[in-house]
Every structure is written in structure tokens, then in C-alpha cells.
Amino acid sequence: MSLEDWRPANAGDEVTGEPLQRASWLNRTFNRLLPGSLLARLALVMMLGVLASQALGTWFWAAQLRTRSNEEAREAARYIGYSAASALRFFQSLPANYRPLLIEQLREMGGTRFFVNVNHGPVDIKSVVDAPLAQSVVETLTTTLTQELPRLSTYRIGFAWPDELAVTEDGVTLSDLPDSWVQHTLLVKPRPAPILVIQAELESGDWLYLATLMPNPYFLDQANPLTRDKLALQLATLVAVLLLSLWVVRWLTRPLALLSEAAEAFGQGANPHLPESGSREYLNTAHAFHAMQARINRYLEDRERLFASISHDLRTPITRLKLRTEMLDDEHDRREFHEDLDELEMMVKGALQSVKDTDIHENRTAIRLDTLLNRLSEDAKMGGFEVAVAAAPITVLGKPLALKRAISNLIDNAIKYGQRAEVLLSNRDGETELTIRDYGPGVAEEALPTLFQPYVRLEHGKQTNQGGMGLGLGIARDIIHAHGGELTLANHPQGGLQVTITLPRTASMG
């Protein structure tokens, strides 16, 4: 058996099929969900990271604090249980008529850990504390007392607030007692703490009433670590970290925005200069951009000089050939030579004119397109042509001569090949839109893409304008592209050809 026979038949499909499709689907999903800009993506990732780490850290800290608080409360409950068991044993060993006397002496001496009272029955305690931590204390305390005093099986344990705490079966409350009885035992002012009440039935039938505080009187504050104050502190910290993160992300991505703006400006004919200050990586990028900019400028200058030299050098041999053609005896041959030489000379002039028209060296300035269109319309009307203009007052930033030459070429084509032209200038979706429609026969759909190619002319154009070279549309599109816009051709539904120019909102000034 060969290795090829051993390999499963669908092994290749499993590697390059479903997993790759799943990965591609995930990438498309993430791209749809994430914002488009790098600044927004980095800010979102950092924000989610900070939120996740803050939430995880807070949850872990709260869980640890709850566990520690529960352990401390249980240990305190066992300590109080041992003390309460000792007090119960002591009062259980006393004669019943001695107990009130001893309690009164203890109060006069300043009290003990417990506020002590003896009743003939259990006092109804209104327990208002139902936190899980308080319930854990009650359960631990009940277990401790049961282990220490197995003969006393009846206990009533609970927490109550001082202002609602009854101390006798006839309804006397803690607030009715003298301050000296409770000031050394219970915490009432200025911030009341929950009081733990233990009631146990002695063998004589009396109920011993013990009231005390937990070692940490405000232990219930630790039952919920996420208090309003702590949440406010966490929120303030989170906001500060997020603001700092956003500032750092913007600071890091600003050089990329500057590079993008410089590249767009350079593509539209300007010569931007990137600031050479910042990180090492940005400085390297700025130096590389400036070097590329210099190379492209040299290439454009060399190309213009090359075409000028070629045009100049070709004129002399073409002229000589024309002179020699005149010396031919055969009229037919002389006419054919003249036609070929005229065509060659026209192609040389057209190539040179194409370079000059697209490489117009001028500064960008504010241009009122509506004023420019009205002026071109008046010039056309003086020549006997009909041009209707409907233009909103729109100002763009661009090269005046270049834009004038591009729009003038399009209007000239419309009135030469379509008898008359309609021009509409408006703002649409934040972009400047200029449409020029003629009333000619239109163009076949399959021939529309070829109209931008040099020296391509349709039969209708050759018949209407025999002196054209088929360079106007290409030159106009190159100028519009240099301004960051688009030029498209389409047949109008009611007949004729429609040219649409869109300039981006960055080129628009109002």
C-alpha cells in the first residue's frame, strides 16, 4: 500500500474546505461588528480589556472578601457562644432569687460583655437582619451553645436594631433604660450597630436574656463588598483608565492619520511634508514617504522632459520627410505619404498635449464651480451652441486651470456630438456632483469603457468632428482623479450620453 492510498480521500478537503470557510466567515463577522477606523478598533479593544480585567478583579476581590468575612464572623460567633455558655452556666448555678440581685450589681459596676436580664418568658424580638452573614452567625452560635450546653435545648437567637429592641416581656425597650445600663455594653450612638440577642430557658423556668455586640459591630458592612461608595470609586478609576487609554490610542494612531492625509494630498497633486517628530517607527515611515515623494516627483519631471524632447526631435525628421514627399512624381503616392506623416505628427502632438494637460503645475485654491460653469456656458452660447446650466453655489478646493480644462472638454464634447448640453451641479450625500448631458445618439453599452482609451473614436464622433484625436475624455478623467474624484459615463434613459463627476467632501468647502 502506498502513502497516497493510505491517506483519506477527503483529507485535503478537510484542511482547505470547511475550516477555511469557517475562518473566513468569522473574519467577515468580526469586520462587520468592529468599527472601521484603527483608532476606534484599538479604543474598543482597550475598553473591553479594561472592563473585563476590572470586572474580573472586582469579582475575585469580592469573593475573597466575602469568604474572609464569613470565616471571621463564624469565629466571632464561636467566641461569643463560649462566653454565652459560661454566663448561662453561671446563672444556672445561682438560686433563682439571687439572679436579679446579681444582675443589678453588675449594672452598677459598669456591666459585662452582655446586657443581662431575667424574664419569666421569651421576649418577642423583631429581627430585621436577614443577611446571609447574620444567618451564618446565628447557625454557628446555635451549634456552639448546643455543644457546650446540651441540656439546654431551647434557644432563641437573632439580631435587632437598638431602637426596636425589647428587653422584657412586658414591652420595655432598650431606649427606656438608663444610659448607664447599656453605654458600656451596647453601641447605640451615633451610628447604631445590630445587637445580637440570645435567650435561653434555664431549668428553673426563667429565661435568661443576653444582648451583646459582635467583636466587629459593623460586620454586616462586609457582607456586601460592592457598596455604593466602593462602586463609585471603581467607576471613577475605570473612567480615568479609559480616558487615559483613549488618549494614548489617539496619540499612537495620529501619525497614521497624518500619513493617510499626506498620501491623499500627494495623490491629488500637492507636496505635503510630514512632521519629523515622534516615535522611531513613525520617523522611519516619514523618511520613507518623503523619499518616495521625491522619486515620484523626479519621475514626473523626467517624463515631461522626455515627451518634450521626443516631440521636438520628431518634428525635424517629419518635416524633412514632408519635403521629400513633395518631390515624388506619383500624385497618389505623394498623397498617401502626406496622410501618414500628418497622422504621425498628430499622434506626437496628442501625446505631448496629453502629458501637458494632466501635469498642470499650479497651486490649489478655492474655486466657485457655479461661476465657472456659467462662464463656460456663456462662451458656448457666443459660439452659437445651447448650454443650460442649473448650479448650486458650491466652492471646491482644486487647481483652477486643470478643472476648467477638464469641464470645458466635457462640455465641448457634449455640444459637438450632441447638439446641446444640460449641466447640473449639486451636493449629494456630502459630495459635489456635476452631471453633463448631451442630446446625441448615445453610445453602445459595450463601447463605454473604451472611450477613455487614447485615440479611440466612434464613427459618430469621426463624422461630427474630424479634427479630434480621442484624448479629451482620458485627460478629463485623469484631472478629476488627481482631485480625488470620479468620472463615469452612462446613457441617459431619455437619450444621449451623460457624464457624471463626483468630488469628495474633502475637496468641498461649502
Side-chain angles (χ1 to χ4, degrees):
M1 177 183 291
S2 64
L3 290 177
E4 182 64 28
D5 295 334
W6 177 85
R7 185 180 66 85
N10 60 348
D13 297 338
E14 184 178 356
V15 174
T16 60
E18 184 178 352
L20 290 181
Q21 293 178 359
R22 189 183 300 112
S24 177
W25 177 82
L26 289 175
N27 290 334
R28 290 195 301 269
T29 303
F30 279 124
N31 288 330
R32 285 197 300 266
L33 295 177
L34 291 177
S37 68
L38 179 61
L39 173 62
R41 289 190 176 190
L42 288 177
L44 178 62
V45 171
M46 294 188 69
M47 186 179 301
L48 293 178
V50 171
L51 286 174
S53 61
Q54 191 83 349
L56 183 61
T58 301
W59 175 82
F60 185 72
W61 167 77
Q64 279 192 327
L65 189 59
R66 287 193 183 97
T67 302
R68 185 174 62 186
S69 300
N70 192 39
E71 293 176 354
E72 292 177 352
R74 286 180 176 274
E75 189 64 29
R78 282 190 287 268
Y79 170 72
I80 294 176
Y82 295 142
S83 299
S86 298
L88 287 171
R89 290 194 196 94
F90 175 72
F91 279 95
Q92 190 178 18
S93 64
L94 292 176
N97 55 348
Y98 281 13
R99 293 168 184 166
L101 179 61
L102 179 60
I103 292 173
E104 186 174 353
Q105 290 178 350
L106 290 175
R107 291 171 181 168
E108 292 177 357
M109 293 171 58
T112 62
R113 176 179 183 81
F114 298 97
F115 169 81
V116 186
N117 195 21
V118 176
N119 299 305
H120 296 295
V123 178
D124 187 17
I125 300 299
K126 185 178 180 181
S127 180
V128 294
V129 179
D130 56 356
L133 193 59
Q135 295 176 2
S136 177
V137 170
V138 172
E139 293 173 359
T140 303
L141 189 57
T142 303
T143 302
T144 303
L145 289 176
T146 302
Q147 293 174 353
E148 293 294 317
L149 299 172
R151 294 184 180 181
L152 297 179
S153 58
T154 304
Y155 300 101
R156 292 194 177 184
I157 304 173
F159 284 93
W161 295 110
D163 56 348
E164 301 176 357
L165 179 60
V167 296
T168 64
E169 69 268 19
D170 54 0
V172 177
T173 62
L174 191 65
S175 58
D176 298 330
L177 301 179
D179 292 341
S180 58
W181 287 17
V182 297
Q183 64 182 355
H184 300 296
T185 305
L186 304 178
L187 187 61
V188 179
K189 299 177 182 179
R191 179 187 172 194
I195 296 175
L196 176 62
V197 178
I198 304 172
Q199 299 183 82
E201 185 179 8
L202 304 178
E203 293 179 353
S204 60
D206 292 336
W207 282 76
L208 188 64
Y209 182 102
L210 302 176
T212 186
L213 296 172
M214 293 290 290
N216 178 11
Y218 304 105
F219 76 104
L220 287 179
D221 293 347
Q222 301 178 358
N224 182 20
L226 302 178
T227 61
R228 183 178 301 176
D229 295 339
K230 293 178 181 178
L231 286 177
L233 179 61
Q234 293 283 343
L235 181 61
T237 304
L238 180 62
V239 170
V241 172
L242 289 179
L243 290 178
L244 181 61
S245 301
L246 290 176
W247 178 80
V248 170
V249 170
R250 182 172 180 80
W251 176 63
L252 292 175
T253 56
R254 179 57 183 164
L256 295 178
L258 292 176
L259 180 62
S260 175
E261 294 171 1
E264 183 177 0
F266 181 60
Q268 295 179 4
N271 285 310
H273 183 78
L274 290 173
E276 297 187 2
S277 61
S279 63
R280 182 185 306 168
E281 292 78 8
Y282 169 72
L283 290 177
N284 293 337
T285 304
H287 293 159
F289 178 82
H290 290 153
M292 177 195 69
Q293 184 179 3
R295 287 194 299 269
I296 293 177
N297 285 331
R298 286 196 303 270
Y299 165 75
L300 294 177
E301 294 172 358
D302 293 343
R303 187 186 68 164
E304 185 175 355
R305 285 195 299 267
L306 175 63
F307 271 87
S309 300
I310 292 175
S311 176
H312 179 270
D313 293 342
L314 286 179
R315 284 198 185 103
T316 300
I318 291 176
T319 303
R320 287 201 304 266
L321 288 174
K322 284 186 176 181
L323 292 175
R324 292 177 181 177
T325 302
E326 295 295 334
M327 300 172 62
L328 295 175
D329 295 332
D330 191 338
E331 178 68 22
H332 177 72
D333 292 340
R334 185 168 60 250
R335 186 172 58 254
E336 288 185 352
F337 271 107
H338 267 295
E339 290 178 358
D340 291 339
L341 290 174
D342 289 341
E343 184 178 355
L344 179 60
E345 185 177 13
M346 184 176 296
M347 291 178 64
V348 173
K349 290 181 179 179
L352 182 61
Q353 186 65 30
S354 176
V355 174
K356 288 183 177 180
D357 286 346
T358 54
D359 291 345
I360 299 177
H361 301 289
E362 57 177 330
N363 295 327
R364 291 175 177 266
T365 184
I367 307 170
R368 279 289 298 267
L369 282 184
D370 54 320
T371 304
L372 174 62
L373 292 174
N374 290 327
R375 189 180 300 117
L376 293 176
S377 173
E378 292 175 359
D379 294 342
K381 290 178 180 177
M382 292 179 62
F385 299 100
E386 181 181 354
V387 178
V389 176
I394 296 176
T395 302
V396 298
L397 188 66
K399 297 181 177 182
L401 292 178
L403 273 181
K404 180 180 179 181
R405 184 166 298 170
I407 298 174
S408 177
N409 282 344
L410 297 175
I411 293 178
D412 288 344
N413 286 344
I415 58 181
K416 287 178 181 178
Y417 305 132
Q419 291 81 43
R420 60 192 177 98
E422 289 184 356
V423 183
L424 175 63
L425 176 66
S426 62
N427 271 327
R428 178 171 297 182
D429 299 330
E431 293 183 334
T432 299
E433 183 177 275
L434 173 63
T435 60
I436 302 173
R437 178 200 171 188
D438 63 40
Y439 284 80
V443 179
E445 293 293 333
E446 62 273 9
L448 284 175
T450 65
L451 294 182
F452 295 107
Q453 299 176 7
Y455 309 112
V456 173
R457 304 188 66 206
L458 303 181
E459 290 299 326
H460 173 70
K462 293 179 180 179
Q463 296 174 4
T464 307
N465 181 19
Q466 298 179 358
M469 293 181 290
L471 298 173
L473 280 177
I475 293 173
R477 186 177 67 169
D478 291 340
I479 293 175
I480 298 301
H481 284 177
H483 285 76
E486 288 292 336
L487 189 150
T488 57
L489 303 176
N491 287 308
H492 195 274
Q494 298 178 1
L497 184 67
Q498 179 172 289
V499 181
T500 302
I501 297 174
T502 56
L503 294 174
R505 60 182 66 183
T506 54
S508 177
M509 301 177 60

